[in-house]
Amino acid sequence: MKLEISAGARHILQTLAAAGFEAHLVGGCVRDLLRGVTPCDWDICTSARPEETERCFSGRRIIETGLKHGTVTVLVEGEPYEITTYRTEGPYSDSRRPDYVRFVPNLTEDLARRDFTMNAIAMDLERNLRDPFGGAADIERGLIRCVGEPGRRFREDGLRVMRALRFAAVFGYGIEEQTARAVHENRAMLGRVAAERINGELRRLLVGRSVGDILRRYPDVFCQFWPQLEPLVGLEQRNPWHCWGGWEHTVRAVEAAPADVTLRLAMLLHDIGKPACKSTDENGVDHFYGHPAVSAQLADEMLRALKFDNKTREQVVLLVERHGAQLPPESRVIRRWLNRLGPEAFFQLLEVKRADGMGQDLEKVKDRLLELDEIRAKAERILAEGQCLTVRDLAVNGRDVTAAGMEPGPEVGRMLRGLLERVLSGELPNERGALLAALQKR
């Protein structure tokens, strides 16, 4: 089934054509239509100069922030549509934006400046394609290929190195041989890219369906902006629990985690401290004592360097730090962890521990994986029953403590926390009478 071009995009194409100008959909929206995916946004290229485009839409709200590079943004029913004049580009001195653009009357010249063939396809209102670089065939084959000479494309904007990997991970596409070679050869260009831009691509890459394949094939690219990964890539793990080296274990753990940025980041970084903590005993067995704490410290540094938001950073660091925690399937232990972490982080930790196990010797960890199912079921039951997990959940409060004869002050809080601990451990029921009796016996 063919997907419809949005009404706003059709209006813009029709308006420009009625004024005597060429106009085409271009870039990601055409790529997505050919993939059978509804586009998130609609970009249009046209033979009209920016001032001519503005005259065509003089009755609508126009945003002029992209005029320097030939882009006029028109709002139709509140939705923005970027309309860009056919152009070629000068050199990229900052490896991000062209030093200048030159408007051209030829659509093919405009398409020739784009990054990948699948993004260098234009479509008119009747869905006729202009595809001088074979992008439609590459989409059909599931192939990412640069337009023109790959090295030049990556040197123009180093972020394209990450974009190639992100598209491959998200779409499940392969990367054409010369393009793949150029990715490796030009990875240092990422050193000229702002951390925030790398962050944006990495987030989307990590939740892609083929993230494991990309991590396996291109560890050198990830080490370019996170050099702390490099010792992990070559780490051997001679240990009964592990049948893979450090990097392959990490990749398998990432693959096993749900497609959530926080969880995938936690798995990518959970063992980053292992190389620094490695020791080998007299039997030749490797140990990594204390690596969760070291990994958490490194993860914090790495996430800060890439400008991750505080919430994501703190969640990831917590999960990395706690990923080695012992969690027996006992209700009193589960209640304590729910109290300590809160339900959201607790269930995230279960996912982390499962993914970690999936990257180990499955025969050895199968019982532990079954235990995690038991822990999850008990935790869900504890929450469903509304069992006491915090001081606020106690059947008594501070007024009850002072009524029992304790002077107001910090001791009241300590008394309530003591009662909570006894309830969490199962020593006391969370019943008002039992708790008041305990207060009297203090």
Side-chain angles (χ1 to χ4, degrees):
M1 181 181 69
K2 287 186 176 181
L3 298 175
E4 291 295 325
I5 298 173
S6 77
R10 294 183 68 85
H11 168 73
I12 289 172
L13 294 173
Q14 290 167 342
T15 301
L16 289 167
F21 301 108
E22 291 182 14
H24 296 80
L25 300 173
V26 70
C29 62
V30 178
R31 177 197 69 222
D32 289 345
L33 286 171
L34 295 179
R35 293 177 56 239
V37 176
T38 301
C40 295
D41 49 43
W42 302 84
D43 292 336
I44 292 97
C45 61
T46 179
S47 60
R49 297 293 182 105
E51 63 274 12
E52 294 170 326
T53 297
E54 288 190 311
R55 284 199 293 270
C56 288
F57 298 97
S58 58
R60 292 192 174 275
R61 184 183 170 194
I62 292 174
I63 301 172
E64 299 181 331
T65 52
L67 280 181
K68 179 182 177 182
H69 293 98
T71 299
V72 176
T73 300
V74 176
L75 294 182
V76 179
E77 302 298 326
E79 293 295 320
Y81 293 84
E82 287 192 354
I83 308 170
T84 303
T85 302
Y86 299 160
R87 71 189 194 192
T88 58
E89 299 172 339
Y92 285 64
S93 297
D94 65 356
S95 300
R96 178 178 180 182
R97 296 187 181 90
D99 296 342
Y100 60 85
V101 300
R102 180 170 61 87
F103 301 138
V104 295
N106 187 301
L107 173 59
T108 300
E109 287 186 72
D110 180 274
L111 297 176
R113 69 180 174 81
R114 297 174 184 269
D115 52 5
F116 307 113
T117 59
M118 64 180 182
N119 295 331
I121 310 169
M123 177 186 287
D124 66 18
L125 195 57
E126 284 70 44
R127 302 179 74 99
N128 298 309
L129 298 183
R130 293 284 294 276
D131 183 19
F133 305 104
D138 285 341
I139 291 173
E140 185 71 23
R141 291 185 294 171
L143 194 66
I144 294 169
R145 180 165 58 93
C146 281
V147 174
E149 199 275 303
R152 177 181 176 184
R153 292 284 86 88
F154 294 133
R155 289 190 293 272
E156 288 170 345
D157 182 355
L159 188 66
R160 287 172 174 169
V161 168
M162 284 296 288
R163 279 171 59 81
L165 301 191
R166 187 254 293 181
F167 284 130
V170 172
F171 296 164
Y173 284 8
I175 300 179
E176 180 267 335
E177 183 178 353
Q178 291 184 349
T179 300
R181 186 181 306 117
V183 165
H184 291 294
E185 292 172 349
N186 291 276
R187 64 187 185 278
M189 294 301 300
L190 288 169
R192 305 182 67 177
V193 177
E196 291 86 351
R197 300 180 74 211
I198 296 174
N199 180 320
E201 294 296 329
L202 181 62
R203 282 176 173 273
R204 288 181 279 183
L205 184 160
L206 284 175
V207 298
R209 69 176 87 165
S210 295
V211 59
D213 183 58
I214 297 305
L215 289 170
R216 284 187 184 91
R217 292 174 182 269
Y218 300 92
D220 54 329
V221 175
F222 297 91
C223 292
Q224 190 65 45
F225 55 83
W226 273 346
Q228 298 93 332
L229 288 172
E230 193 165 354
L232 186 63
V233 173
L235 178 70
E236 293 185 0
Q237 298 191 109
R238 293 182 293 272
N239 183 288
W241 294 94
H242 286 282
C243 48
W244 313 104
W247 187 243
E248 180 61 21
H249 163 71
T250 294
V251 172
R252 286 172 178 263
V254 170
E255 289 177 314
D260 171 86
V261 171
T262 297
L263 294 174
R264 292 272 172 95
L265 277 169
M267 300 326 299
L268 182 61
L269 304 180
H270 78 288
D271 279 352
I272 194 68
K274 271 189 170 181
C277 297
K278 182 177 178 178
S279 62
T280 305
D281 66 22
E282 63 275 9
N283 297 314
V285 177
D286 294 331
H287 302 280
F288 306 94
Y289 300 121
H291 80 271
V294 177
S295 296
Q297 182 179 350
L298 288 171
D300 186 74
E301 295 170 2
M302 295 162 74
L303 295 170
R304 287 179 187 274
L306 224 54
K307 309 296 184 184
F308 274 88
D309 62 280
N310 289 338
K311 181 180 178 181
T312 299
R313 176 178 55 79
E314 290 167 2
Q315 286 178 318
V316 171
V317 170
L318 173 66
L319 294 171
V320 170
E321 185 176 30
R322 301 289 191 176
H323 82 268
Q326 297 300 310
L327 284 177
E330 300 172 9
S331 294
R332 61 182 180 81
V333 176
I334 295 169
R335 284 193 293 267
R336 283 200 178 98
W337 278 99
L338 284 167
N339 164 263
R340 190 178 306 165
L341 300 181
E344 180 185 12
F346 177 79
F347 287 114
Q348 285 180 326
L349 181 60
L350 294 186
E351 294 289 0
V352 163
K353 294 184 76 64
R354 173 173 297 282
D356 192 13
M358 294 296 289
Q360 299 175 26
D361 185 324
L362 292 180
E363 187 60 31
K364 288 188 177 298
V365 301
K366 63 181 180 181
D367 291 340
R368 185 58 182 147
L369 294 177
L370 290 174
E371 269 192 358
L372 290 172
D373 291 335
E374 184 181 354
I375 292 168
R376 173 177 289 276
K378 287 186 175 181
E380 289 172 347
R381 185 167 63 250
I382 286 168
L383 292 171
E385 292 174 354
Q387 293 187 29
C388 178
L389 298 173
T390 69
V391 167
R392 290 191 302 274
D393 299 330
L394 285 170
V396 294
N397 57 34
R399 290 189 298 274
D400 296 311
V401 176
T402 55
M406 182 172 287
E407 291 294 324
E411 284 299 322
V412 172
R414 281 193 281 271
M415 176 59 72
L416 288 172
R417 289 191 294 274
L419 290 174
L420 174 63
E421 178 59 28
R422 296 173 70 184
V423 169
L424 292 174
S425 69
E427 180 185 342
L428 281 176
N430 186 32
E431 297 172 357
R432 183 171 176 80
L435 297 179
L436 288 174
L439 285 175
Q440 295 297 330
K441 294 178 182 178
R442 73 183 191 281

